[in-house]
Amino acid sequence: MLSKDSLALIDAEVAKYPANQKQSAVMAALRITQSEKGWLKPELIEYVADYLEMPAIAAYEVATFYNMYDTHSVGRHKITLCTNLPCVLSGAGEIAEHLKQKLGIGFGETTEDGRYTLKEGECMGACGDAPMCLHNNHKMHTHLTPEKVDALLDELK
């Protein structure tokens, strides 16, 4: 189900833990799997669980608890806007409305062309740089303004 390269990356993560604790690499293994496949279909989560010799339900719990994992198809550009209190107090509510208007979608939705998915996120540990968003779980954009959002969306076209 996964490429040899992805399995090698997972094996490198597994090697960081004692031999009887392979399941400790579940977060990294799910991240690697999602990076290759785009999102975590149920059979992929089960595959990771089997590979790590852990119950499938335990891998499902991880995949559905953390908002960085996608258990449904997402757009090419997933924008996760922090909507916790520090970000909201710094303007995340206005940024959310601006994004919704620009993209024509709400939180948890994907544009018809499959280009963008907009998600709400929990605290991402950058309260001093609020409001902020995360692009595809990897690139943080901080001190957001409507103008910065427009520039980001133009860049992602």
Side-chain angles (χ1 to χ4, degrees):
M1 289 197 119
L2 293 175
S3 69
K4 289 180 182 181
D5 289 342
S6 289
L7 292 174
L9 290 170
I10 292 171
D11 289 342
E13 293 296 326
V14 168
K16 295 176 182 178
Y17 302 98
N20 65 341
Q21 295 295 314
K22 288 176 74 170
Q23 72 275 8
S24 297
V26 67
M27 290 184 72
L30 290 171
R31 177 186 49 78
I32 292 163
T33 301
Q34 181 170 283
S35 290
E36 178 180 324
K37 299 296 186 178
W39 61 286
L40 299 171
K41 297 177 185 177
E43 56 268 22
L44 287 170
I45 298 170
E46 291 171 16
Y47 179 83
V48 167
D50 288 344
Y51 195 80
L52 298 177
E53 300 172 2
M54 63 188 291
I57 188 65
Y60 275 106
E61 289 170 344
V62 173
T64 58
F65 180 78
Y66 294 101
N67 69 358
M68 64 206 165
Y69 300 117
D70 299 308
T71 56
H72 296 89
S73 179
V74 294
R76 189 171 71 226
H77 300 290
K78 181 176 76 168
I79 299 171
T80 306
L81 180 69
C82 179
T83 56
N84 272 17
L85 187 58
C87 279
V88 169
L89 292 174
S90 295
E94 293 81 7
I95 297 300
E97 291 309 311
H98 186 74
L99 277 163
K100 290 175 185 179
Q101 184 272 325
K102 290 290 282 191
L103 298 174
I105 58 174
F107 285 124
E109 297 178 346
T110 300
T111 57
E112 285 186 26
D113 62 4
R115 181 171 289 161
Y116 301 101
T117 295
L118 183 59
K119 295 188 96 172
E120 255 184 302
E122 292 298 319
C123 183
M124 297 174 207
C127 300
D129 297 329
M132 61 85 55
C133 72
L134 200 57
H135 172 237
N136 287 346
N137 296 331
H138 296 288
K139 187 169 184 185
M140 193 176 283
H141 299 272
T142 61
H143 303 287
L144 292 175
T145 63
E147 295 77 23
K148 282 187 175 184
V149 167
D150 291 347
L152 172 63
L153 295 177
D154 287 343
E155 177 185 321
L156 298 178
K157 285 182 181 176

